[in-house]
Amino acid sequence: IAAIGIVASGAFDRVDAVTITLYDGSSGVTPSTYNSPNPYLNFFGNGGSQTASGGVTTLNTSQQILAGYSNYNPNLTSFVNPLFPILNRNTGYTLNFTMKLNSQTNNNPNRAGFNALILGSDKKGIELGFKQSDIFAYNSANLQAGERSTNLTGLISTLNTYNLNILGNNYTLKNNGNTLLTGLLRDYTGVVNPNTPATSVYGTSNLLFLGDDRTTAGASVDIKNISLTTANTPVPEPSSMVGVAVAIGCGVMFKRKLRKADKLVLEVKK
């Protein structure tokens, strides 16, 4: 029983992981036309501008404009590309994106002009806001700031790659192996308001959005790369395999002791 506990408490790694490139800035096109005629992303919103140049796409929005990139068509009923994978948090997946924040316009500490939102097959996920000096996670229901990492101006203002890992009930945001944020996944379905169409994204499963989904903030960002890594099967990490080895070893020793005990019993009977 103890051995099973050791294995069950171990972290999980990804087996047969598959990475899909959703956007590569070196192509010289925008995310919504990358991989044409079968792009994975759609330019989503009520305005804004996107310009591909110098290996990046610059996305510009204002406080009144919502714009960004999603894996869904505008009506949120179908994927842009039907081959987009199912996002299963139990087996895990990672959203990777390389970007820099050029500028931002807003005065609300709970809002950001560039956000990364990802929701799994059960609609649970996380939305992160990127401001000029900090990154924070939006809480569920009220969309106020939760976990926050500060004093990141040097990181956010230059091109850097972020890895947003989802596994089980948790998320972790990393840059170059360093953890920036970590916490529990959210259920944003309570945010959905029939009188505010933009909130319908929070009731959508397997959803990805990168950009500005707030009318209270705007930003100019350069996006270089976007990719998604998914897995089929969770297995224990090497550290957890120690527990398996211990369990096997204990089992073998226990069997040997039983054999010795049986032998003694036989000798006594004789």
Side-chain angles (χ1 to χ4, degrees), residues 71-95:
N71 62 322
Y72 268 84
N73 286 307
N75 56 13
L76 295 177
T77 59
S78 61
F79 291 146
V80 177
N81 188 321
L83 296 180
F84 191 88
I86 299 300
L87 303 178
N88 185 341
R89 63 186 175 91
N90 294 314
T91 54
Y93 54 91
T94 301
L95 172 64

Side-chain angles (χ1 to χ4, degrees), residues 19 56 65 111 116 129 181 241:
T19 297
V56 301
I65 289 176
R111 297 291 182 267
L181 281 179
M241 293 304 293

Side-chain angles (χ1 to χ4, degrees), residues 42-267:
N42 174 51
F43 187 57
F44 196 86
N46 64 356
S49 66
Q50 55 171 343
T51 305
S53 178
V56 301
T57 288
T58 301
L59 173 66
N60 290 301
T61 65
S62 68
Q63 288 181 310
Q64 292 76 37
I65 289 176
L66 307 174
Y69 304 99
S70 173
N71 62 322
Y72 268 84
N73 286 307
N75 56 13
L76 295 177
T77 59
S78 61
F79 291 146
V80 177
N81 188 321
L83 296 180
F84 191 88
I86 299 300
L87 303 178
N88 185 341
R89 63 186 175 91
N90 294 314
T91 54
Y93 54 91
T94 301
L95 172 64
N96 313 288
F97 54 100
T98 304
M99 53 79 69
K100 77 167 182 171
L101 184 65
N102 300 316
S103 62
Q104 181 178 259
T105 55
N106 88 310
N107 298 314
N108 188 333
N110 296 308
R111 297 291 182 267
F114 180 82
N115 302 287
L117 169 65
I118 192 159
L119 303 176
S121 57
D122 61 355
K123 303 179 183 179
K124 290 185 178 180
I126 194 68
E127 181 171 20
L128 304 179
F130 290 72
K131 296 170 70 71
Q132 288 178 311
S133 63
D134 59 287
I135 304 171
F136 64 90
Y138 286 96
N139 281 331
S140 56
N142 58 11
L143 292 179
Q144 299 300 298
E147 304 88 47
R148 186 187 296 268
S149 184
T150 59
N151 301 315
L152 300 175
T153 302
L155 180 72
I156 299 171
S157 63
T158 56
L159 276 174
N160 273 288
T161 298
Y162 300 90
N163 312 109
L164 178 53
N165 303 309
I166 308 294
L167 183 61
N169 295 316
N170 301 281
Y171 80 89
T172 303
L173 179 70
K174 293 186 176 184
N175 164 255
N176 198 28
N178 299 314
T179 297
L180 300 176
L181 281 179
T182 187
L184 293 173
L185 297 179
R186 271 54 160 184
D187 181 351
Y188 293 114
T189 55
V191 177
V192 179
N193 184 340
N195 298 317
T196 308
T199 64
S200 60
V201 296
Y202 295 110
T204 306
S205 60
N206 296 300
L207 179 123
L208 163 65
F209 178 83
L210 289 168
D212 178 5
D213 56 354
R214 299 284 183 270
T215 56
T216 55
S220 171
V221 296
D222 289 344
I223 302 173
K224 183 177 181 180
N225 292 296
I226 306 170
S227 66
L228 185 67
T229 301
T230 59
N232 295 320
T233 309
V235 297
E237 287 183 344
S239 60
S240 299
M241 293 304 293
V242 173
V244 176
V246 170
I248 294 173
C250 289
V252 171
M253 292 177 65
F254 185 63
K255 286 182 178 179
R256 287 176 179 174
K257 288 182 179 180
L258 285 177
R259 288 171 182 170
K260 288 182 179 179
D262 290 342
K263 184 176 181 182
L264 289 173
V265 170
L266 289 172
E267 289 178 351

